[in-house]
């Protein structure tokens, strides 16, 4: 520090920054789960974290993801134990889920995503880890695009170029890569999301801001 000309930040400020980063990360993840849940439920009932914590909605998604029609007993702790057992989660505390602790609720919803994948994902890759299956698919689809290097689920996607290359690989008429190359990251991402939604009926689970952020990762950092 003596030779850099910079001043170390007080630990109090560092803690504030870490808390702010964590809050933004959780906000993005909550938004994704709300959108995903609404894509499966009628009338889009999920609005915020309170709804994500509601066992009624968790159970509805669990019934779809597992094929097991569980009826809630009304005892929140016992119901949490049942739901966690149905998705084979032995790590998350049922007590913390019953108390609607943020980490436990988000872990439960990630369990639901993975369970849904194992039931409805394409054969034979549904038995693979979800993040690895997606990564390998992206690598295969974009291997002929020199400007694209998919190595993770964060930095590889922030500029929006890889997203548009995915669309281009399906139908070159959907994306003019020369135009995309001159566009801003936000415009690229918005175009990719809008095109995927219109052409392939892909639900928008992320918004542009969330995709540009550094906290989007399929490997679930809270676990």
């Amino acid at each position: 520090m003596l030779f850099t000309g910079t001043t170390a930040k007080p630990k109090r400020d560092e803690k504030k920054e870490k808390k702010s980063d964590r809050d933004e990360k959780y906000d993005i993840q909550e938004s994704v789960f709300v959108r995903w849940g609404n894509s499966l439920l009628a009338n889009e009932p999920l609005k915020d974290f309170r709804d994500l914590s509601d066992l009624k909605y968790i159970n509805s998604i669990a019934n779809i993801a597992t094929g097991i029609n569980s009826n809630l007993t009304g005892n929140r702790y016992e119901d949490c134990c049942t739901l966690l057992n149905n998705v084979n989660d032995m790590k998350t505390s049922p007590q913390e889920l019953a108390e609607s602790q943020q980490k436990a609720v988000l872990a439960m919803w990630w369990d639901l995503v993975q369970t849904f994948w194992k039931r409805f994902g394409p054969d034979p890759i549904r038995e693979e880890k979800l993040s690895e299956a997606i990564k390998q698919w992206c690598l295969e689809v974009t291997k002929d695009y020199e400007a694209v290097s998919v190595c993770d689920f964060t930095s590889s996607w922030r500029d929006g170029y890889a997203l548009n290359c995915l669309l281009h690989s399906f139908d070159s008429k959907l994306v003019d890569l020369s135009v995309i190359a001159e566009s801003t990251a936000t415009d690229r991402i918005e175009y990719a999301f809008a095109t995927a939604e219109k052409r392939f009926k892909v639900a928008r689970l992320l918004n542009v801001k969330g995709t540009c952020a550094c906290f989007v990762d399929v490997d679930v950092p809270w676990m």
Side-chain angles (χ1 to χ4, degrees), residues 201-219:
K201 309 301 181 185
V202 176
R204 288 192 182 215
L205 300 186
L206 278 171
N207 55 30
V208 174
K209 179 182 178 182
T211 308
C212 290
C214 58
F215 307 116
V216 182
D217 199 329
V218 178
D219 284 328

Side-chain angles (χ1 to χ4, degrees), residues 62 65-66 82-90 108 111-112 115:
T66 65
T82 298
L83 290 167
L84 288 169
N85 183 66
N86 286 349
V87 295
N88 298 313
D89 184 345
M90 304 302 164
M108 179 73 232
D111 287 334
L112 294 172
T115 304

Side-chain angles (χ1 to χ4, degrees), residues 149-201:
S149 177
V150 176
C151 58
D152 55 30
F153 289 101
T154 51
S155 59
S156 298
W157 305 95
R158 286 184 200 135
D159 67 0
Y161 195 77
L163 288 171
N164 281 278
C165 287
L166 287 179
L167 294 171
H168 187 271
S169 71
F170 281 96
D171 185 349
S172 60
K173 295 179 181 179
L174 291 176
V175 181
D176 186 334
L177 292 180
S178 63
V179 173
I180 291 299
E182 300 299 322
S183 302
T184 64
T186 54
D187 287 343
R188 290 173 183 170
I189 295 169
E190 174 57 34
Y191 180 81
F193 283 175
T195 302
E197 189 173 35
K198 181 179 180 180
R199 179 67 174 78
F200 300 107
K201 309 301 181 185

